[in-house]
Amino acid sequence: MGRQILRMKNIKKSFYGVTVLHGIDFNLEEGSIHALVGENGAGKSTLMKILLGIHKKDSGTIELEGQEVEFANPGEALKHSISMIHQEICLVPTLDVAENIWLGRENQFSKHGYINIKARYKETERFLKDLDIDIDPREKVKNLSVAQMQLVELCRSVSYNSKVIIMDEPTSALASKEIDLLFRIIRRLKAQGVAVIFISHKLNEIIEICDDVTVMRDGHLVCAKKVEEVNEEKLIEWIAGRRMENIYPKTEKKIGETLLEVRHLQKEGVFEDINFEVKAGEIVAFSGLMGAGRTEIMRGLYGLDSIDGGEVRIAGKKVSIRSPKDSVNNGIGMVTEDRLNSGSIATMSVMENSTLPSLSGICKLFGYFSPSDERRLFSSVSERMSIKFNSPSDLIRQLSGGNQQKVIISRWILKHLKIIIMDEPTRGIDVGAKQEVYKIISDLAKQGMGVILISSELPEIMGLSDRICVVRNGRIVHRTRPSDTSQEELMSYAFGIQATL
């Protein structure tokens, strides 16, 4: 048993008379990887915010290396060697990688009042190389993929030489190759005596990387165990408070006529000769490593990015798509992988994010619309999709990840579209919410919609789809059905071990 570096004892917290933490104990050993798991709303984030000084506890004690502490803000926690990698990206898009990593610590590279930019780039290059991360320190963060941004977040946290690092869903935007890299870095930190609090909904990763696990549910401590004593089935039962069966719903449905045909779609240097079709009631999944071109293909198809050539047909008719508006007008909607930054408008309410594309349909004379009509429209879809919120005027960022995703999907249900593209639809949401999203996807297909699913989680691909396309280096290299393949075979094509077709 290692030396205890952090002890949180009998932590209680209430908001507006509602108790959200009921006397939580959490112990962390030096040089250990400790999983903190539970559904969204279980209290994990509140507990960590109390540790970081974002929230003030009502009662209980926090000891760091045997000394009682209570931080006023995350800056104080950082001075005491506690840092956090947040699930939502917290970088400055207009600054480059080096500037983001050393933000607020420019004095390390200053001389006579001037920043030695060359020295900062050199140190960043050395630092990235030491972590085996292949990212140009001069690249603007806005030009990086979500996965690369996540790795930059990791670099920034590690650069503080923290004794405790909190990682909130660190693999949610990563594919297998990047996850392997992250795990190598985590194990290296562990060997150096760093303690990691690993918050994740991916139970297989917890079994693989973690030493200990603490399970929370509804603000209560369910159990704290050694990982070697548990399995995924038991964890799910503790997290949900019930046994979860038939996670991937298989409903009887009819595959209909071809809704979408994509022929020879290409964008120089990104993807080429992309050919596929989607039929009514069909879920077509795109598998592959992060950076293989899956998202880029769909951004080109949807009109978010320009393409160099190719043909798109909807119900047999050739269409021109130069913008997302053209896609929506032709019956195609998209749920992007970054639901808060690119998939929603953070300053708008839950209701507004859901109804915005449909307002033209309820406009009255001279362009005015009735707020009561908007409320009725939103009420119909929110009840259908079991969206949980306090008020329709709540900001979308106030909801859990699963409910945010339901709101974004609901906007396309209200538009009665024919085809929906879903890019990593369950990224960063808990086990129970995932099952709800899976049911929504299955129901949409059952109702005759064509679904394009992009996912880095192979069990999702295998459990939900009717057909699978594997993408590598911007090309579709393999086509199959779940019944005719295995996760291992899909990975072999993704890595290029099998001969391409």
Side-chain angles (χ1 to χ4, degrees), residues 36-89:
L36 181 60
V37 300
E39 292 186 309
N40 287 332
K44 308 185 303 295
S45 294
T46 302
L47 186 67
M48 292 299 100
K49 286 177 180 179
I50 287 172
L51 173 60
L52 292 168
I54 298 170
H55 293 324
K56 186 177 176 63
K57 58 183 168 53
D58 295 337
S59 62
T61 59
I62 303 172
E63 293 180 6
L64 183 65
E65 296 187 290
Q67 299 295 314
E68 188 168 340
V69 295
E70 184 167 0
F71 306 124
N73 54 60
E76 278 193 13
L78 198 56
K79 288 177 182 177
H80 285 78
S81 300
I82 300 177
S83 62
M84 182 169 183
I85 303 168
H86 296 272
Q87 178 185 348
E88 303 302 338
I89 304 299

Side-chain angles (χ1 to χ4, degrees), residues 431-446:
V431 175
K434 279 185 178 182
Q435 190 174 35
E436 292 182 272
V437 171
Y438 296 153
K439 185 177 186 307
I440 290 168
I441 293 172
S442 183
D443 286 347
L444 292 177
K446 185 178 180 181

Side-chain angles (χ1 to χ4, degrees), residues 103-150:
L103 189 63
R105 296 176 288 168
E106 292 82 0
N107 62 322
Q108 294 184 31
F109 306 98
S110 65
K111 189 175 182 180
H112 307 304
Y114 293 95
I115 297 173
N116 187 333
I117 296 174
K118 287 185 178 179
R120 184 169 62 190
Y121 282 139
K122 186 176 181 179
E123 176 61 14
T124 308
E125 284 175 349
R126 183 200 65 76
F127 191 67
L128 291 170
K129 185 178 181 181
D130 187 55
L131 293 174
D132 294 327
I133 295 175
D134 184 19
I135 298 176
D136 185 351
R138 296 168 180 78
E139 187 66 71
K140 298 289 187 186
V141 162
K142 65 183 178 181
N143 298 328
L144 302 180
S145 68
V146 174
Q148 289 173 318
M149 291 180 191
Q150 197 85 45

Side-chain angles (χ1 to χ4, degrees), residues 163-198:
K163 296 176 182 176
V164 176
I165 299 179
I166 305 164
M167 298 186 177
D168 188 3
E169 296 292 343
T171 67
S172 61
L174 307 182
S176 299
K177 186 178 179 181
E178 289 85 6
I179 291 171
D180 289 343
L181 171 59
L182 174 68
F183 284 3
R184 288 201 302 273
I185 295 171
I186 291 175
R187 290 187 177 108
R188 185 185 306 174
L189 293 171
K190 173 183 173 179
Q192 295 167 358
V194 177
V196 175
I197 301 174
F198 191 87

